[in-house]
Amino acid sequence: MPARFVVPVQAAEEGQVRLTFIGHATFLIESPAGVTIATDYNDGVRPSIVPDIVTMNQAHSTHFTAYPEPEIRHVLRGWGEDGRPVQHEVTVRDVWIRNVTTNIRGGFGASATIQRDMNSIFVFEVAELCIAHLGHLHHPLTADHLKALGRIDVVLAPVDGSYTLNIDDMIGVLKDIGAPLVIPMHYFTRSNLERFLGRLEEDGYAVQSSDAPVVTLSRSRLPAVRTVLALPEFQEGDR
């Protein structure tokens, strides 16, 4: 049975986006107009609500579901069919969603194979912010990827250092994107998270941690220096 976390959903104030870290690679994004989005929607970790929009990636079962609820208005899968990359461009009220495809690695070591365009970086443009969820990123980004992404204000980054990118390459990706705010995800253990935070601090990022899994984002409140903000996973007692 999925872990259903009871999240008190409410429309964000005008000009603000409400972001809740549900767990693993799943965030609940709430727009000022009340549009709800769940990233890397899967059968194990979900918010309590049925969101308007879900995005998914195919790398592992913890990043997608084959059985999304029929009430979900838009199910955006990050992979295509027949070797063709998928392309999404969806507008729902005050949210514009698009994707940039990347490759994933099948297996490890000498037996690893490349599966092209089977992961998507989803970009959510809302309240004058551009929020990028890197999905299950397995390789550094090319100049073409960066051009397609454009200006990014907030990056939701997997920082496990093994299943996705190693820490050095992930930090390189974050520097290339150049977003003012990074929010870690997919870190599995506290030690993995602390290692990542320490490395970013060495590279000049301001490091902040929150006791709450919810943060309110707005263009006017973006940090003046590059910052990484660590959020805890949502627990049932959180309100």
Side-chain angles (χ1 to χ4, degrees):
M1 294 293 292
R4 287 286 190 173
F5 298 106
V6 181
V7 183
V9 174
Q10 59 189 47
E13 294 181 13
E14 185 177 357
Q16 297 182 341
V17 181
R18 194 167 183 261
L19 185 78
T20 304
F21 183 35
I22 303 300
H24 200 55
T26 301
F27 290 85
L28 179 67
I29 301 171
E30 301 168 64
S31 81
V35 178
T36 53
I37 307 155
T39 64
D40 276 21
Y41 196 67
N42 64 85
D43 292 320
V45 180
R46 295 182 179 182
S48 56
I49 66 159
V50 177
D52 300 310
I53 306 163
V54 300
T55 63
M56 298 189 290
N57 278 296
Q58 200 181 36
H60 298 291
S61 61
T62 50
H63 297 265
F64 76 97
T65 176
Y67 306 103
E69 291 94 332
E71 308 97 288
I72 297 172
R73 294 172 58 192
H74 298 278
V75 177
L76 308 182
R77 295 173 176 85
W79 63 94
E81 303 292 341
D82 302 321
R84 297 180 180 179
V86 69
Q87 184 174 359
H88 295 293
E89 190 170 340
V90 176
T91 300
V92 179
R93 286 186 282 179
D94 60 342
V95 180
W96 179 37
I97 304 174
R98 54 190 176 85
N99 73 304
V100 177
T101 59
T102 66
N103 306 327
I104 61 173
R105 176 190 62 246
F108 292 88
S111 62
T113 57
I114 301 299
Q115 301 174 37
R116 297 196 176 280
D117 299 305
M118 297 297 279
N119 177 74
S120 279
I121 299 171
F122 283 96
V123 179
F124 310 92
E125 300 198 19
V126 53
E128 298 185 354
L129 287 173
C130 293
I131 303 170
H133 185 289
L134 299 186
H136 213 271
L137 186 64
H138 286 185
H139 59 79
L141 301 180
T142 66
D144 287 341
H145 288 131
L146 295 169
K147 181 178 179 181
L149 285 175
R151 187 204 80 216
I152 300 297
D153 301 304
V154 182
V155 178
L156 311 178
V159 301
D160 57 278
S162 56
Y163 290 98
T164 57
L165 271 176
N166 64 66
I167 294 298
D168 288 338
D169 284 343
M170 181 56 69
I171 290 174
V173 166
L174 296 176
K175 287 181 176 179
D176 288 341
I177 293 174
L181 182 62
V182 175
I183 299 178
M185 63 174 182
H186 204 263
Y187 48 75
F188 294 102
T189 67
R190 186 71 192 181
S191 61
N192 280 344
L193 177 60
E194 293 292 347
R195 179 181 58 168
F196 174 76
L197 296 178
R199 286 294 310 280
L200 274 193
E201 188 170 31
E202 290 173 3
D203 280 32
Y205 280 72
V207 175
Q208 298 179 3
S209 295
S210 174
D211 293 330
V214 183
V215 63
T216 300
L217 305 171
S218 67
R219 169 151 292 283
S220 63
R221 294 171 62 185
L222 286 173
V225 298
R226 291 184 184 176
T227 299
V228 55
L229 171 64
L231 302 177
E233 295 186 356
F234 192 92
Q235 303 296 324
E236 289 190 33
D238 291 323
R239 290 293 183 272

